[in-house]
Amino acid sequence: MLPEHAKIIALLKDAGEIVGRKKLQKIVYIGKKMKLPLQEKYTFHVYGPYSEELTLRVEELCSLGFVTETKEKKAGYSQYRYKITKNGESFIEKFPLTWPREQASTIVHQLNGHSSKFLELVSTMLYFDELPKPEVKEKVFTLKKSQNYTEQDIQEAWEFIESLNHLS
């Protein structure tokens, strides 16, 4: 249990801060697909790959005082910010953790620099990565119809995935 919690803390430390629950879910999922040693199980959900395990793990980390979840009111919705605390930093310094710090930091910074909408697209495409590219595109246009992704969005996502593959 604790090693997987420590990996989420390490990921948050690499990110500095992650704004949005959906974005956190996508960063962990894409990181896992890029061979970061993350163990959360994912199923396909309304906003793409989703892990109940990750949600529970983050709640536990907040309860333990290792991560802060700050709720902000935005125009008609709530947004959450995630950061590790001093206790969280102290915990991972003392915890024996196998974490590819340099690789993870590079990947997490790349991911955190993109919008949650773009990461939703990338994670959805990666979820169906065993399919040929034309079928992946069809899945995106069918399952993500409300997001109004374009052919250009799909092409940018493929290029981004290729650049991430070179980092992993």
Side-chain angles (χ1 to χ4, degrees):
M1 176 174 133
L2 285 179
E4 300 313 315
H5 287 73
K7 290 174 187 175
I8 298 304
I9 296 171
L11 183 140
L12 282 167
K13 181 176 182 170
D14 290 340
E17 176 180 67
I18 295 177
V19 180
R21 286 178 171 170
K22 181 168 76 168
K23 191 170 193 174
L24 176 60
Q25 284 277 341
K26 303 316 167 213
I27 288 173
V28 172
Y29 179 76
I30 296 167
K32 181 178 177 178
K33 292 296 277 189
M34 294 301 121
K35 300 180 178 63
L36 293 182
L38 298 159
Q39 302 302 315
E40 286 71 18
K41 291 178 183 73
Y42 278 80
T43 57
F44 199 79
H45 203 260
V46 176
Y47 299 109
Y50 171 78
S51 172
E52 181 69 28
E53 263 183 293
L54 177 60
T55 298
L56 294 172
R57 200 161 276 148
V58 170
E59 286 176 8
E60 290 167 350
L61 290 170
C62 290
S63 294
L64 291 168
F66 294 156
V67 172
T68 59
E69 178 186 66
T70 308
K71 183 177 180 179
E72 301 172 338
K73 290 282 186 190
K74 292 286 182 184
Y77 68 98
S78 295
Q79 180 171 276
Y80 297 84
R81 292 182 176 272
Y82 297 93
K83 290 177 93 168
I84 68 168
T85 63
K86 289 195 189 304
N87 287 340
E89 289 206 30
S90 178
F91 175 76
I92 60 168
E93 284 173 14
K94 295 173 185 159
F95 195 87
L97 178 65
T98 304
W99 184 249
R101 181 137 195 103
E102 192 174 310
Q103 175 196 20
S105 181
T106 303
I107 290 170
V108 170
H109 279 286
Q110 287 279 326
L111 296 171
N112 206 19
H114 287 278
S115 70
S116 60
K117 181 181 179 184
F118 182 73
L119 296 179
E120 181 179 341
L121 171 61
V122 170
S123 64
T124 297
M125 291 168 66
L126 287 171
Y127 192 82
F128 296 108
D129 64 356
E130 78 285 351
L131 299 174
K133 283 185 176 183
E135 289 182 39
V136 172
K137 181 170 71 171
E138 191 58 40
K139 289 270 190 199
V140 168
F141 287 147
T142 302
L143 297 170
K144 299 290 168 188
K145 192 175 196 167
S146 65
Q147 289 286 31
N148 296 316
Y149 291 119
T150 65
E151 295 274 349
Q152 183 177 345
D153 294 331
I154 302 271
Q155 185 57 40
E156 286 174 23
W158 282 128
E159 290 168 9
F160 182 66
I161 290 168
E162 189 60 34
S163 73
L164 289 176
N165 282 328
H166 284 83
L167 299 173
S168 57

PDB file of all heavy atoms in Angstrom, residues 11-12 14-20 23-24 27 82 105-116 119 160:
ATOM      1  N   LEU A  11       5.268  11.865  -7.749  1.00  0.00           N
ATOM      2  CA  LEU A  11       4.750  12.457  -8.982  1.00  0.00           C
ATOM      3  C   LEU A  11       4.293  13.901  -8.740  1.00  0.00           C
ATOM      4  O   LEU A  11       4.599  14.803  -9.527  1.00  0.00           O
ATOM      5  CB  LEU A  11       3.599  11.604  -9.523  1.00  0.00           C
ATOM      6  CG  LEU A  11       2.992  12.048 -10.843  1.00  0.00           C
ATOM      7  CD1 LEU A  11       2.685  10.841 -11.714  1.00  0.00           C
ATOM      8  CD2 LEU A  11       1.723  12.837 -10.619  1.00  0.00           C
ATOM      9  N   LEU A  12       3.585  14.122  -7.636  1.00  0.00           N
ATOM     10  CA  LEU A  12       3.141  15.479  -7.304  1.00  0.00           C
ATOM     11  C   LEU A  12       4.327  16.399  -7.012  1.00  0.00           C
ATOM     12  O   LEU A  12       4.306  17.572  -7.374  1.00  0.00           O
ATOM     13  CB  LEU A  12       2.171  15.459  -6.123  1.00  0.00           C
ATOM     14  CG  LEU A  12       0.753  15.025  -6.465  1.00  0.00           C
ATOM     15  CD1 LEU A  12      -0.043  14.737  -5.206  1.00  0.00           C
ATOM     16  CD2 LEU A  12       0.056  16.089  -7.304  1.00  0.00           C
ATOM     17  N   ASP A  14       7.255  16.133  -8.424  1.00  0.00           N
ATOM     18  CA  ASP A  14       7.796  16.437  -9.752  1.00  0.00           C
ATOM     19  C   ASP A  14       6.966  17.503 -10.464  1.00  0.00           C
ATOM     20  O   ASP A  14       7.510  18.353 -11.158  1.00  0.00           O
ATOM     21  CB  ASP A  14       7.853  15.178 -10.623  1.00  0.00           C
ATOM     22  CG  ASP A  14       8.898  14.179 -10.163  1.00  0.00           C
ATOM     23  OD1 ASP A  14       9.835  14.573  -9.431  1.00  0.00           O
ATOM     24  OD2 ASP A  14       8.788  12.998 -10.522  1.00  0.00           O
ATOM     25  N   ALA A  15       5.654  17.452 -10.277  1.00  0.00           N
ATOM     26  CA  ALA A  15       4.763  18.410 -10.941  1.00  0.00           C
ATOM     27  C   ALA A  15       4.809  19.789 -10.285  1.00  0.00           C
ATOM     28  O   ALA A  15       4.571  20.797 -10.944  1.00  0.00           O
ATOM     29  CB  ALA A  15       3.326  17.881 -10.919  1.00  0.00           C
ATOM     30  N   GLY A  16       5.066  19.812  -8.996  1.00  0.00           N
ATOM     31  CA  GLY A  16       4.985  21.074  -8.256  1.00  0.00           C
ATOM     32  C   GLY A  16       3.559  21.300  -7.785  1.00  0.00           C
ATOM     33  O   GLY A  16       3.291  21.442  -6.607  1.00  0.00           O
ATOM     34  N   GLU A  17       2.645  21.282  -8.726  1.00  0.00           N
ATOM     35  CA  GLU A  17       1.218  21.440  -8.439  1.00  0.00           C
ATOM     36  C   GLU A  17       0.454  20.933  -9.654  1.00  0.00           C
ATOM     37  O   GLU A  17       0.892  21.125 -10.781  1.00  0.00           O
ATOM     38  CB  GLU A  17       0.893  22.917  -8.197  1.00  0.00           C
ATOM     39  CG  GLU A  17      -0.585  23.193  -7.997  1.00  0.00           C
ATOM     40  CD  GLU A  17      -0.859  24.677  -7.767  1.00  0.00           C
ATOM     41  OE1 GLU A  17      -0.646  25.461  -8.715  1.00  0.00           O
ATOM     42  OE2 GLU A  17      -1.294  25.017  -6.664  1.00  0.00           O
ATOM     43  N   ILE A  18      -0.665  20.272  -9.408  1.00  0.00           N
ATOM     44  CA  ILE A  18      -1.554  19.846 -10.491  1.00  0.00           C
ATOM     45  C   ILE A  18      -2.913  20.468 -10.213  1.00  0.00           C
ATOM     46  O   ILE A  18      -3.459  20.317  -9.123  1.00  0.00           O
ATOM     47  CB  ILE A  18      -1.651  18.315 -10.601  1.00  0.00           C
ATOM     48  CG1 ILE A  18      -0.274  17.737 -10.996  1.00  0.00           C
ATOM     49  CG2 ILE A  18      -2.713  17.914 -11.621  1.00  0.00           C
ATOM     50  CD1 ILE A  18      -0.206  16.227 -11.063  1.00  0.00           C
ATOM     51  N   VAL A  19      -3.431  21.164 -11.214  1.00  0.00           N
ATOM     52  CA  VAL A  19      -4.714  21.844 -11.073  1.00  0.00           C
ATOM     53  C   VAL A  19      -5.779  21.035 -11.799  1.00  0.00           C
ATOM     54  O   VAL A  19      -5.766  20.943 -13.027  1.00  0.00           O
ATOM     55  CB  VAL A  19      -4.652  23.284 -11.633  1.00  0.00           C
ATOM     56  CG1 VAL A  19      -6.004  23.971 -11.476  1.00  0.00           C
ATOM     57  CG2 VAL A  19      -3.558  24.084 -10.932  1.00  0.00           C
ATOM     58  N   GLY A  20      -6.671  20.425 -11.020  1.00  0.00           N
ATOM     59  CA  GLY A  20      -7.797  19.689 -11.576  1.00  0.00           C
ATOM     60  C   GLY A  20      -7.736  18.199 -11.288  1.00  0.00           C
ATOM     61  O   GLY A  20      -6.691  17.570 -11.454  1.00  0.00           O
ATOM     62  N   LYS A  23      -7.216  16.357 -14.566  1.00  0.00           N
ATOM     63  CA  LYS A  23      -5.830  16.468 -15.014  1.00  0.00           C
ATOM     64  C   LYS A  23      -4.926  15.513 -14.230  1.00  0.00           C
ATOM     65  O   LYS A  23      -4.062  14.850 -14.809  1.00  0.00           O
ATOM     66  CB  LYS A  23      -5.336  17.907 -14.882  1.00  0.00           C
ATOM     67  CG  LYS A  23      -4.008  18.142 -15.558  1.00  0.00           C
ATOM     68  CD  LYS A  23      -3.702  19.633 -15.608  1.00  0.00           C
ATOM     69  CE  LYS A  23      -2.561  19.913 -16.551  1.00  0.00           C
ATOM     70  NZ  LYS A  23      -2.326  21.346 -16.721  1.00  0.00           N
ATOM     71  N   LEU A  24      -5.132  15.414 -12.936  1.00  0.00           N
ATOM     72  CA  LEU A  24      -4.356  14.481 -12.122  1.00  0.00           C
ATOM     73  C   LEU A  24      -4.566  13.048 -12.616  1.00  0.00           C
ATOM     74  O   LEU A  24      -3.608  12.296 -12.798  1.00  0.00           O
ATOM     75  CB  LEU A  24      -4.737  14.604 -10.645  1.00  0.00           C
ATOM     76  CG  LEU A  24      -4.075  13.614  -9.694  1.00  0.00           C
ATOM     77  CD1 LEU A  24      -2.556  13.741  -9.708  1.00  0.00           C
ATOM     78  CD2 LEU A  24      -4.612  13.802  -8.270  1.00  0.00           C
ATOM     79  N   ILE A  27      -2.690  12.640 -15.961  1.00  0.00           N
ATOM     80  CA  ILE A  27      -1.229  12.624 -15.814  1.00  0.00           C
ATOM     81  C   ILE A  27      -0.762  11.267 -15.288  1.00  0.00           C
ATOM     82  O   ILE A  27       0.213  10.702 -15.790  1.00  0.00           O
ATOM     83  CB  ILE A  27      -0.750  13.792 -14.922  1.00  0.00           C
ATOM     84  CG1 ILE A  27      -0.885  15.115 -15.691  1.00  0.00           C
ATOM     85  CG2 ILE A  27       0.682  13.574 -14.449  1.00  0.00           C
ATOM     86  CD1 ILE A  27      -0.595  16.361 -14.865  1.00  0.00           C
ATOM     87  N   TYR A  82      -3.707  20.326  -6.300  1.00  0.00           N
ATOM     88  CA  TYR A  82      -3.007  19.313  -5.516  1.00  0.00           C
ATOM     89  C   TYR A  82      -1.532  19.665  -5.395  1.00  0.00           C
ATOM     90  O   TYR A  82      -0.871  19.955  -6.399  1.00  0.00           O
ATOM     91  CB  TYR A  82      -3.153  17.930  -6.171  1.00  0.00           C
ATOM     92  CG  TYR A  82      -4.581  17.489  -6.211  1.00  0.00           C
ATOM     93  CD1 TYR A  82      -5.374  17.743  -7.323  1.00  0.00           C
ATOM     94  CD2 TYR A  82      -5.158  16.853  -5.119  1.00  0.00           C
ATOM     95  CE1 TYR A  82      -6.712  17.367  -7.351  1.00  0.00           C
ATOM     96  CE2 TYR A  82      -6.493  16.474  -5.137  1.00  0.00           C
ATOM     97  CZ  TYR A  82      -7.255  16.742  -6.260  1.00  0.00           C
ATOM     98  OH  TYR A  82      -8.573  16.370  -6.274  1.00  0.00           O
ATOM     99  N   SER A 105      10.198  13.275 -13.883  1.00  0.00           N
ATOM    100  CA  SER A 105      10.111  14.733 -13.837  1.00  0.00           C
ATOM    101  C   SER A 105       9.910  15.313 -15.229  1.00  0.00           C
ATOM    102  O   SER A 105       9.051  16.185 -15.443  1.00  0.00           O
ATOM    103  CB  SER A 105      11.376  15.307 -13.195  1.00  0.00           C
ATOM    104  OG  SER A 105      11.279  16.713 -13.135  1.00  0.00           O
ATOM    105  N   THR A 106      10.656  14.814 -16.204  1.00  0.00           N
ATOM    106  CA  THR A 106      10.525  15.292 -17.583  1.00  0.00           C
ATOM    107  C   THR A 106       9.130  15.009 -18.122  1.00  0.00           C
ATOM    108  O   THR A 106       8.485  15.893 -18.696  1.00  0.00           O
ATOM    109  CB  THR A 106      11.596  14.629 -18.478  1.00  0.00           C
ATOM    110  OG1 THR A 106      12.884  14.905 -17.933  1.00  0.00           O
ATOM    111  CG2 THR A 106      11.526  15.151 -19.894  1.00  0.00           C
ATOM    112  N   ILE A 107       8.657  13.789 -17.943  1.00  0.00           N
ATOM    113  CA  ILE A 107       7.331  13.403 -18.452  1.00  0.00           C
ATOM    114  C   ILE A 107       6.236  14.207 -17.758  1.00  0.00           C
ATOM    115  O   ILE A 107       5.347  14.762 -18.407  1.00  0.00           O
ATOM    116  CB  ILE A 107       7.101  11.880 -18.284  1.00  0.00           C
ATOM    117  CG1 ILE A 107       8.010  11.111 -19.254  1.00  0.00           C
ATOM    118  CG2 ILE A 107       5.631  11.509 -18.500  1.00  0.00           C
ATOM    119  CD1 ILE A 107       8.050   9.610 -19.032  1.00  0.00           C
ATOM    120  N   VAL A 108       6.302  14.287 -16.434  1.00  0.00           N
ATOM    121  CA  VAL A 108       5.258  14.983 -15.668  1.00  0.00           C
ATOM    122  C   VAL A 108       5.209  16.470 -16.034  1.00  0.00           C
ATOM    123  O   VAL A 108       4.127  17.039 -16.190  1.00  0.00           O
ATOM    124  CB  VAL A 108       5.450  14.762 -14.150  1.00  0.00           C
ATOM    125  CG1 VAL A 108       4.543  15.666 -13.339  1.00  0.00           C
ATOM    126  CG2 VAL A 108       5.181  13.298 -13.801  1.00  0.00           C
ATOM    127  N   HIS A 109       6.369  17.099 -16.213  1.00  0.00           N
ATOM    128  CA  HIS A 109       6.384  18.513 -16.617  1.00  0.00           C
ATOM    129  C   HIS A 109       5.762  18.693 -18.000  1.00  0.00           C
ATOM    130  O   HIS A 109       5.014  19.655 -18.229  1.00  0.00           O
ATOM    131  CB  HIS A 109       7.805  19.085 -16.586  1.00  0.00           C
ATOM    132  CG  HIS A 109       8.240  19.477 -15.213  1.00  0.00           C
ATOM    133  ND1 HIS A 109       7.769  20.595 -14.580  1.00  0.00           N
ATOM    134  CD2 HIS A 109       9.089  18.873 -14.340  1.00  0.00           C
ATOM    135  CE1 HIS A 109       8.317  20.673 -13.373  1.00  0.00           C
ATOM    136  NE2 HIS A 109       9.105  19.636 -13.203  1.00  0.00           N
ATOM    137  N   GLN A 110       6.065  17.788 -18.922  1.00  0.00           N
ATOM    138  CA  GLN A 110       5.465  17.849 -20.262  1.00  0.00           C
ATOM    139  C   GLN A 110       3.942  17.752 -20.155  1.00  0.00           C
ATOM    140  O   GLN A 110       3.219  18.526 -20.771  1.00  0.00           O
ATOM    141  CB  GLN A 110       5.987  16.695 -21.133  1.00  0.00           C
ATOM    142  CG  GLN A 110       7.402  16.842 -21.581  1.00  0.00           C
ATOM    143  CD  GLN A 110       7.525  17.758 -22.778  1.00  0.00           C
ATOM    144  OE1 GLN A 110       6.651  17.789 -23.631  1.00  0.00           O
ATOM    145  NE2 GLN A 110       8.598  18.509 -22.824  1.00  0.00           N
ATOM    146  N   LEU A 111       3.468  16.796 -19.386  1.00  0.00           N
ATOM    147  CA  LEU A 111       2.024  16.580 -19.249  1.00  0.00           C
ATOM    148  C   LEU A 111       1.350  17.750 -18.549  1.00  0.00           C
ATOM    149  O   LEU A 111       0.289  18.214 -18.980  1.00  0.00           O
ATOM    150  CB  LEU A 111       1.751  15.281 -18.489  1.00  0.00           C
ATOM    151  CG  LEU A 111       2.213  13.999 -19.183  1.00  0.00           C
ATOM    152  CD1 LEU A 111       2.077  12.816 -18.242  1.00  0.00           C
ATOM    153  CD2 LEU A 111       1.446  13.771 -20.471  1.00  0.00           C
ATOM    154  N   ASN A 112       1.948  18.227 -17.482  1.00  0.00           N
ATOM    155  CA  ASN A 112       1.337  19.287 -16.680  1.00  0.00           C
ATOM    156  C   ASN A 112       1.251  20.604 -17.453  1.00  0.00           C
ATOM    157  O   ASN A 112       0.459  21.474 -17.113  1.00  0.00           O
ATOM    158  CB  ASN A 112       2.108  19.467 -15.369  1.00  0.00           C
ATOM    159  CG  ASN A 112       1.253  20.029 -14.266  1.00  0.00           C
ATOM    160  OD1 ASN A 112       0.024  19.990 -14.311  1.00  0.00           O
ATOM    161  ND2 ASN A 112       1.894  20.569 -13.254  1.00  0.00           N
ATOM    162  N   GLY A 113       2.042  20.734 -18.512  1.00  0.00           N
ATOM    163  CA  GLY A 113       2.017  21.938 -19.323  1.00  0.00           C
ATOM    164  C   GLY A 113       0.863  21.995 -20.317  1.00  0.00           C
ATOM    165  O   GLY A 113       0.683  22.993 -21.008  1.00  0.00           O
ATOM    166  N   HIS A 114       0.080  20.921 -20.378  1.00  0.00           N
ATOM    167  CA  HIS A 114      -1.043  20.866 -21.318  1.00  0.00           C
ATOM    168  C   HIS A 114      -2.377  20.956 -20.578  1.00  0.00           C
ATOM    169  O   HIS A 114      -2.464  20.668 -19.388  1.00  0.00           O
ATOM    170  CB  HIS A 114      -0.991  19.575 -22.140  1.00  0.00           C
ATOM    171  CG  HIS A 114       0.098  19.583 -23.164  1.00  0.00           C
ATOM    172  ND1 HIS A 114      -0.031  20.186 -24.384  1.00  0.00           N
ATOM    173  CD2 HIS A 114       1.352  19.078 -23.127  1.00  0.00           C
ATOM    174  CE1 HIS A 114       1.084  20.055 -25.069  1.00  0.00           C
ATOM    175  NE2 HIS A 114       1.951  19.384 -24.322  1.00  0.00           N
ATOM    176  N   SER A 115      -3.399  21.311 -21.312  1.00  0.00           N
ATOM    177  CA  SER A 115      -4.746  21.422 -20.732  1.00  0.00           C
ATOM    178  C   SER A 115      -5.307  20.035 -20.427  1.00  0.00           C
ATOM    179  O   SER A 115      -4.901  19.034 -21.032  1.00  0.00           O
ATOM    180  CB  SER A 115      -5.687  22.135 -21.702  1.00  0.00           C
ATOM    181  OG  SER A 115      -5.958  21.294 -22.818  1.00  0.00           O
ATOM    182  N   SER A 116      -6.262  19.994 -19.508  1.00  0.00           N
ATOM    183  CA  SER A 116      -6.891  18.711 -19.193  1.00  0.00           C
ATOM    184  C   SER A 116      -7.671  18.181 -20.400  1.00  0.00           C
ATOM    185  O   SER A 116      -7.754  16.972 -20.601  1.00  0.00           O
ATOM    186  CB  SER A 116      -7.787  18.820 -17.962  1.00  0.00           C
ATOM    187  OG  SER A 116      -8.800  19.755 -18.168  1.00  0.00           O
ATOM    188  N   LEU A 119      -5.119  16.446 -22.534  1.00  0.00           N
ATOM    189  CA  LEU A 119      -4.706  15.204 -21.866  1.00  0.00           C
ATOM    190  C   LEU A 119      -5.822  14.161 -21.907  1.00  0.00           C
ATOM    191  O   LEU A 119      -5.548  12.959 -21.974  1.00  0.00           O
ATOM    192  CB  LEU A 119      -4.272  15.477 -20.431  1.00  0.00           C
ATOM    193  CG  LEU A 119      -3.027  16.356 -20.272  1.00  0.00           C
ATOM    194  CD1 LEU A 119      -2.713  16.560 -18.795  1.00  0.00           C
ATOM    195  CD2 LEU A 119      -1.833  15.788 -21.017  1.00  0.00           C
ATOM    196  N   PHE A 160       2.453  14.352 -29.972  1.00  0.00           N
ATOM    197  CA  PHE A 160       2.799  14.466 -28.555  1.00  0.00           C
ATOM    198  C   PHE A 160       3.104  13.081 -27.954  1.00  0.00           C
ATOM    199  O   PHE A 160       4.083  12.906 -27.236  1.00  0.00           O
ATOM    200  CB  PHE A 160       1.665  15.150 -27.792  1.00  0.00           C
ATOM    201  CG  PHE A 160       1.953  15.359 -26.336  1.00  0.00           C
ATOM    202  CD1 PHE A 160       2.961  16.222 -25.927  1.00  0.00           C
ATOM    203  CD2 PHE A 160       1.215  14.709 -25.367  1.00  0.00           C
ATOM    204  CE1 PHE A 160       3.244  16.414 -24.585  1.00  0.00           C
ATOM    205  CE2 PHE A 160       1.475  14.902 -24.021  1.00  0.00           C
ATOM    206  CZ  PHE A 160       2.495  15.758 -23.622  1.00  0.00           C
TER     207      PHE A 160
END
